[in-house]
mmCIF file of all heavy atoms in Angstrom:
data_model
loop_
_atom_site.group_PDB
_atom_site.id
_atom_site.type_symbol
_atom_site.label_atom_id
_atom_site.label_comp_id
_atom_site.label_asym_id
_atom_site.label_seq_id
_atom_site.Cartn_x
_atom_site.Cartn_y
_atom_site.Cartn_z
ATOM 1 N N LYS A 254 26.870 104.473 72.975
ATOM 2 C CA LYS A 254 27.641 103.257 72.694
ATOM 3 C C LYS A 254 27.099 102.522 71.455
ATOM 4 O O LYS A 254 27.862 102.021 70.643
ATOM 5 C CB LYS A 254 27.605 102.309 73.898
ATOM 6 C CG LYS A 254 28.471 102.758 75.067
ATOM 7 C CD LYS A 254 28.243 101.962 76.306
ATOM 8 C CE LYS A 254 28.705 100.553 76.241
ATOM 9 N NZ LYS A 254 30.090 100.332 76.668
ATOM 10 N N LYS A 255 25.767 102.512 71.331
ATOM 11 C CA LYS A 255 25.159 101.851 70.153
ATOM 12 C C LYS A 255 25.575 102.594 68.869
ATOM 13 O O LYS A 255 25.913 101.965 67.867
ATOM 14 C CB LYS A 255 23.640 101.853 70.282
ATOM 15 C CG LYS A 255 23.160 100.887 71.348
ATOM 16 C CD LYS A 255 22.230 99.861 70.747
ATOM 17 C CE LYS A 255 21.672 98.974 71.815
ATOM 18 N NZ LYS A 255 22.105 97.610 71.655
ATOM 19 N N ASN A 256 25.490 103.930 68.913
ATOM 20 C CA ASN A 256 25.860 104.729 67.740
ATOM 21 C C ASN A 256 27.320 104.468 67.368
ATOM 22 O O ASN A 256 27.661 104.316 66.192
ATOM 23 C CB ASN A 256 25.656 106.218 67.995
ATOM 24 C CG ASN A 256 24.187 106.602 67.990
ATOM 25 O OD1 ASN A 256 23.362 105.860 67.467
ATOM 26 N ND2 ASN A 256 23.870 107.742 68.578
ATOM 27 N N ARG A 257 28.188 104.445 68.378
ATOM 28 C CA ARG A 257 29.621 104.223 68.136
ATOM 29 C C ARG A 257 29.830 102.827 67.533
ATOM 30 O O ARG A 257 30.648 102.647 66.619
ATOM 31 C CB ARG A 257 30.386 104.369 69.449
ATOM 32 C CG ARG A 257 31.861 104.433 69.291
ATOM 33 C CD ARG A 257 32.297 105.747 68.709
ATOM 34 N NE ARG A 257 33.700 105.658 68.335
ATOM 35 C CZ ARG A 257 34.209 106.147 67.224
ATOM 36 N NH1 ARG A 257 33.449 106.778 66.352
ATOM 37 N NH2 ARG A 257 35.467 106.015 66.973
ATOM 38 N N GLY A 258 29.089 101.847 68.050
ATOM 39 C CA GLY A 258 29.183 100.486 67.512
ATOM 40 C C GLY A 258 28.767 100.415 66.071
ATOM 41 O O GLY A 258 29.366 99.699 65.258
ATOM 42 N N GLU A 259 27.711 101.151 65.727
ATOM 43 C CA GLU A 259 27.255 101.194 64.330
ATOM 44 C C GLU A 259 28.314 101.779 63.428
ATOM 45 O O GLU A 259 28.567 101.261 62.331
ATOM 46 C CB GLU A 259 25.972 102.034 64.218
ATOM 47 C CG GLU A 259 24.691 101.260 64.422
ATOM 48 C CD GLU A 259 23.479 102.129 64.214
ATOM 49 O OE1 GLU A 259 23.435 102.910 63.241
ATOM 50 O OE2 GLU A 259 22.564 102.011 65.047
ATOM 51 N N VAL A 260 28.910 102.873 63.855
ATOM 52 C CA VAL A 260 29.975 103.494 63.071
ATOM 53 C C VAL A 260 31.084 102.504 62.814
ATOM 54 O O VAL A 260 31.579 102.361 61.692
ATOM 55 C CB VAL A 260 30.519 104.766 63.805
ATOM 56 C CG1 VAL A 260 31.809 105.252 63.160
ATOM 57 C CG2 VAL A 260 29.494 105.868 63.791
ATOM 58 N N LYS A 261 31.475 101.776 63.830
ATOM 59 C CA LYS A 261 32.553 100.811 63.675
ATOM 60 C C LYS A 261 32.137 99.631 62.816
ATOM 61 O O LYS A 261 32.937 99.103 62.053
ATOM 62 C CB LYS A 261 33.013 100.297 65.060
ATOM 63 C CG LYS A 261 33.753 101.357 65.849
ATOM 64 C CD LYS A 261 34.249 100.792 67.159
ATOM 65 C CE LYS A 261 35.082 101.815 67.904
ATOM 66 N NZ LYS A 261 35.695 101.251 69.098
ATOM 67 N N ALA A 262 30.879 99.199 62.946
ATOM 68 C CA ALA A 262 30.397 98.072 62.168
ATOM 69 C C ALA A 262 30.338 98.422 60.669
ATOM 70 O O ALA A 262 30.519 97.564 59.808
ATOM 71 C CB ALA A 262 29.017 97.641 62.658
ATOM 72 N N ASN A 263 30.071 99.694 60.375
ATOM 73 C CA ASN A 263 29.965 100.114 58.981
ATOM 74 C C ASN A 263 31.324 100.306 58.303
ATOM 75 O O ASN A 263 31.383 100.485 57.109
ATOM 76 C CB ASN A 263 29.140 101.411 58.871
ATOM 77 C CG ASN A 263 27.682 101.174 59.187
ATOM 78 O OD1 ASN A 263 27.180 100.056 59.031
ATOM 79 N ND2 ASN A 263 27.001 102.192 59.649
ATOM 80 N N ARG A 264 32.356 100.289 59.102
ATOM 81 C CA ARG A 264 33.683 100.370 58.511
ATOM 82 C C ARG A 264 34.012 99.020 57.879
ATOM 83 O O ARG A 264 33.498 97.992 58.281
ATOM 84 C CB ARG A 264 34.752 100.622 59.596
ATOM 85 C CG ARG A 264 34.691 102.005 60.164
ATOM 86 C CD ARG A 264 35.793 102.156 61.186
ATOM 87 N NE ARG A 264 35.655 103.424 61.870
ATOM 88 C CZ ARG A 264 36.100 103.663 63.098
ATOM 89 N NH1 ARG A 264 36.725 102.705 63.756
ATOM 90 N NH2 ARG A 264 35.933 104.841 63.644
ATOM 91 N N GLY A 265 34.887 99.061 56.946
ATOM 92 C CA GLY A 265 35.287 97.786 56.368
ATOM 93 C C GLY A 265 35.981 97.991 55.046
ATOM 94 O O GLY A 265 36.162 99.127 54.573
ATOM 95 N N LYS A 266 36.279 96.906 54.391
ATOM 96 C CA LYS A 266 36.948 96.987 53.122
ATOM 97 C C LYS A 266 35.942 97.435 52.081
ATOM 98 O O LYS A 266 34.784 96.999 52.070
ATOM 99 C CB LYS A 266 37.532 95.645 52.717
ATOM 100 C CG LYS A 266 38.698 95.233 53.597
ATOM 101 C CD LYS A 266 39.313 93.952 53.128
ATOM 102 C CE LYS A 266 40.477 93.589 53.986
ATOM 103 N NZ LYS A 266 41.101 92.336 53.584
ATOM 104 N N VAL A 267 36.412 98.259 51.185
ATOM 105 C CA VAL A 267 35.552 98.730 50.091
ATOM 106 C C VAL A 267 35.799 97.777 48.920
ATOM 107 O O VAL A 267 36.922 97.544 48.512
ATOM 108 C CB VAL A 267 35.939 100.175 49.679
ATOM 109 C CG1 VAL A 267 35.110 100.656 48.519
ATOM 110 C CG2 VAL A 267 35.807 101.093 50.865
ATOM 111 N N SER A 268 34.694 97.222 48.419
ATOM 112 C CA SER A 268 34.852 96.294 47.283
ATOM 113 C C SER A 268 34.992 97.119 46.012
ATOM 114 O O SER A 268 34.480 98.225 45.905
ATOM 115 C CB SER A 268 33.683 95.361 47.210
ATOM 116 O OG SER A 268 32.496 96.093 46.978
ATOM 117 N N ARG A 269 35.651 96.556 45.011
ATOM 118 C CA ARG A 269 35.892 97.269 43.771
ATOM 119 C C ARG A 269 34.616 97.533 43.002
ATOM 120 O O ARG A 269 34.520 98.444 42.227
ATOM 121 C CB ARG A 269 36.877 96.479 42.911
ATOM 122 C CG ARG A 269 38.244 96.409 43.541
ATOM 123 C CD ARG A 269 39.278 96.314 42.437
ATOM 124 N NE ARG A 269 40.608 96.374 43.022
ATOM 125 C CZ ARG A 269 41.412 97.409 42.861
ATOM 126 N NH1 ARG A 269 41.062 98.410 42.117
ATOM 127 N NH2 ARG A 269 42.593 97.386 43.392
ATOM 128 N N ARG A 270 33.595 96.732 43.215
ATOM 129 C CA ARG A 270 32.329 96.903 42.485
ATOM 130 C C ARG A 270 31.609 98.197 42.869
ATOM 131 O O ARG A 270 30.828 98.715 42.124
ATOM 132 C CB ARG A 270 31.403 95.725 42.745
ATOM 133 C CG ARG A 270 31.857 94.488 41.945
ATOM 134 C CD ARG A 270 30.955 93.323 42.231
ATOM 135 N NE ARG A 270 31.525 92.678 43.411
ATOM 136 C CZ ARG A 270 30.844 91.932 44.264
ATOM 137 N NH1 ARG A 270 29.583 91.706 44.081
ATOM 138 N NH2 ARG A 270 31.428 91.386 45.295
ATOM 139 N N ASP A 271 31.879 98.680 44.137
ATOM 140 C CA ASP A 271 31.188 99.877 44.589
ATOM 141 C C ASP A 271 31.705 101.159 43.929
ATOM 142 O O ASP A 271 31.078 102.184 44.012
ATOM 143 C CB ASP A 271 31.347 100.036 46.115
ATOM 144 C CG ASP A 271 30.639 98.903 46.872
ATOM 145 O OD1 ASP A 271 29.782 98.282 46.242
ATOM 146 O OD2 ASP A 271 30.940 98.700 48.040
#
Side-chain angles (χ1 to χ4, degrees):
K254 285 170 70 89
K255 289 239 185 244
N256 286 341
R257 191 72 191 138
E259 272 184 43
V260 167
K261 289 183 175 186
N263 290 335
R264 289 181 188 154
K266 291 184 178 178
V267 178
S268 62
R269 294 210 175 249
R270 284 178 273 156
D271 293 342

